Amino acid sequence: MTESLYEKVGGEAAIEKVVDYFYNELVLKDETVNHFFENTDMEKQRRHQSKFISFALGGPNQYSGKSMAKAHEGMNLQPEHFQAIANHLHDALAHFGVEESDIDAALTKVATLKDDIIYK
């Protein structure tokens, strides 16, 4: 049986570390996107993001929040915002030693949601 990318990176505990780094060291320090999180409950956001990334890496789909389109409604995210977040996800995964081919696989899955996120 083939190991999922989720298992390969270390499962839930590893994903939580990636998400903390993703927000604390990358997203919230990036002036092009950090304003989108000014009035956000970051603990709740981290939980949602951990579940989403777990799913994107082939782990259990535990996400039960709003649809991507509904969650981003009224934000008017542009392609450059989406790309900045994707770049930060790449960098967070790379920071924890995830192989480039595995990062590409995860980002390919994330890219399928682009139309549900931008211009909403």
Side-chain angles (χ1 to χ4, degrees), residues 12-32:
E12 186 176 347
I15 298 300
E16 287 175 5
K17 289 179 185 174
V18 168
V19 169
D20 284 344
Y21 183 83
F22 171 76
Y23 283 115
N24 294 340
E25 300 302 323
L26 303 171
V27 173
L28 296 178
K29 291 182 179 179
D30 180 351
E31 293 181 9
T32 63

Side-chain angles (χ1 to χ4, degrees), residues 40-89:
T40 301
D41 175 344
M42 289 308 296
E43 285 310 308
K44 183 177 178 184
Q45 181 67 23
R46 280 181 173 83
R47 285 192 304 276
H48 282 303
Q49 191 70 7
S50 291
K51 289 176 182 179
F52 171 72
I53 292 174
S54 294
F55 170 68
L57 297 178
N61 183 4
Q62 303 169 358
Y63 183 78
S64 60
K66 298 175 186 175
S67 70
M68 283 293 143
K70 195 74 170 159
H72 295 91
E73 192 174 62
M75 295 178 76
N76 194 28
L77 292 167
Q78 300 299 304
E80 59 269 21
H81 300 129
F82 183 90
Q83 191 58 52
I85 295 296
N87 291 344
H88 292 321
L89 179 55

Side-chain angles (χ1 to χ4, degrees), residues 98-112:
V98 177
E99 294 177 21
E100 198 64 35
S101 60
D102 293 334
I103 294 172
D104 288 345
L107 292 180
T108 296
K109 193 162 188 178
V110 169
T112 65

